């Protein structure tokens, strides 16, 4: 990790935004090492269908090594935004969008998950757009990934960002899109300002009312 990377990692690790999306109040921040319980709990709320669409195989639980890989990111080559919603007096995970930098260092593989009760409410679009803006700051120029052809929800989200799809050798679909045109198009989007500030490492609340449930602040980043 060079000096720029280390500075960038500590900057983005501190970003935190609150925003309204239709009828939902959401908090978006980078994933943290202490999110294991949050992610384990969210996995139990994913339907079998959602698990299959995300992992391409029936999944009954997350192993400790998987939880470590999902939460202990370096914010440079491996990064994820989490979207949190208030359920009563505690925060629950609504969705995660992550990238892992590929050997071609300007490209990254992307995956998106929204927990079933929160699907179809715009969080997938929001998180992917937030990930695009963070990735641009991290020097990435292209996102790619793999989806199942039957996954119409992710296809709708990817169509919105102008992704190209092609059939893979395994019968799934590979997608890819350039980040710069999407980041430009996002400037006209109503939540652009919040997502842009977030991608620059800021803490921003829009609206400014206090977050209605408890927040545990990070004391460090892993
Ligand atoms: C795919 C996924 C991330 C999308 O997140 P989301 O929050 O539900 O997505 P959004 O609400 O932002 O948008 C979903 C879009 O799909 C559309 N959609 C949903 N189900 C659909 C269906 N069965 N047929 C056609 N369109 C569908 C919605 O109408 C919406 O369209 P829009 O672009 O016109 O708004 C989420 O459904 C999910 O986590 N699925 C399980 C895991 C997964 O498939 N991950 C992707 C593989 S990496």
């Amino acid at each position: 990790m060079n000096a720029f990377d280390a500075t960038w990692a500590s900057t983005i690790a501190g970003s935190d935004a609150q925003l309204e999306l239709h009828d939902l109040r959401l908090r978006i921040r980078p994933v943290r090492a202490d999110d294991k319980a949050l992610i384990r709990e969210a996995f139990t709320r994913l339907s079998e269908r959602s698990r299959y669409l995300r992992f391409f195989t029936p999944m009954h639980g997350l192993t400790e090594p998987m939880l470590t890989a999902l939460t202990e990111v370096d914010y440079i080559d491996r990064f994820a935004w989490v979207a949190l919603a208030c359920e009563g007096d505690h925060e629950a995970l609504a969705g995660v969008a992550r990238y892992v930098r590929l050997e071609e260092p300007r490209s990254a593989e992307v995956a998106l998950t929204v927990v079933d009760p929160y699907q179809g409410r715009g969080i997938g679009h929001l998180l992917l757009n937030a990930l695009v803006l963070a990735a641009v700051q991290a020097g990435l120029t292209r996102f790619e990934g793999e989806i199942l052809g039957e996954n119409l929800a992710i296809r709708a989200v990817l169509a919105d960002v102008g992704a190209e799809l092609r059939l893979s050798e395994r019968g799934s679909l590979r997608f890819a899109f350039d980040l710069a045109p999407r980041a430009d198009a996002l400037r006209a989007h109503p939540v652009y300002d919040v997502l842009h500030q977030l991608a620059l490492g800021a803490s921003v609340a829009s609206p400014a009312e206090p977050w209605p449930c408890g927040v545990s602040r990070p004391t460090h980043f892993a």
Side-chain angles (χ1 to χ4, degrees):
M1 189 185 290
N2 64 37
F4 169 78
D5 285 346
T7 305
W8 165 250
S10 60
T11 300
I12 193 80
S15 60
D16 193 330
Q18 293 167 36
L19 53 89
E20 280 178 337
L21 181 70
H22 311 302
D23 59 333
L24 272 176
R25 182 101 186 264
L26 295 172
R27 179 174 169 225
I28 301 180
R29 61 159 174 78
V31 75
R32 307 193 305 243
D34 61 2
D35 281 335
K36 292 182 181 64
L38 194 74
I39 290 194
R40 195 186 287 114
E41 204 266 330
F43 185 86
T44 67
R45 304 174 80 192
L46 272 185
S47 64
E48 280 183 23
R49 172 88 181 145
S50 288
R51 294 176 190 185
Y52 176 68
L53 290 174
R54 168 65 179 83
F55 298 101
F56 301 3
T57 183
M59 289 271 294
H60 304 299
L62 295 172
T63 63
E64 287 305 316
M66 287 172 89
L67 275 172
T68 300
L70 292 173
T71 55
E72 297 185 21
V73 300
D74 62 10
Y75 300 93
I76 298 162
D77 294 337
R78 293 182 302 125
F79 180 82
W81 290 125
V82 296
L84 304 162
C86 281
E87 293 186 3
D89 62 356
H90 72 282
E91 289 180 334
L93 187 75
V96 184
R98 69 179 61 249
Y99 71 68
V100 176
R101 198 183 294 260
L102 294 168
E103 240 170 70
E104 196 312 274
R106 313 268 286 174
S107 296
E109 183 92 7
V110 169
L112 208 54
T113 310
V114 175
V115 181
D116 285 60
Y118 292 98
Q119 289 177 7
R121 300 166 79 174
I123 298 176
H125 285 284
L126 181 80
L127 282 176
L128 185 57
N129 287 327
L131 199 64
V132 165
L133 295 179
V136 168
Q137 296 301 321
L140 288 159
T141 58
R142 194 165 168 83
F143 273 171
E144 51 186 89
E146 187 170 6
I147 59 167
L148 294 175
E150 69 205 66
N151 192 344
L152 299 180
I154 193 68
R155 289 178 73 162
V157 172
L158 290 171
D160 191 46
V161 296
E164 289 172 8
L165 300 177
R166 66 178 167 75
L167 201 56
S168 81
E169 288 162 8
R170 324 203 276 165
S172 54
L173 295 175
R174 291 291 305 173
F175 69 84
F177 63 99
D178 290 328
L179 302 184
R182 182 57 193 163
D184 278 348
L186 269 177
R187 288 173 189 277
H189 198 285
V191 293
Y192 174 78
D193 283 342
V194 176
L195 297 188
H196 183 57
Q197 288 301 313
L198 187 69
L200 295 177
S203 277
V204 44
S206 171
E209 287 105 49
W211 183 236
C213 61
V215 170
S216 49
R217 300 288 308 175
T219 50
H220 66 280
F221 67 95

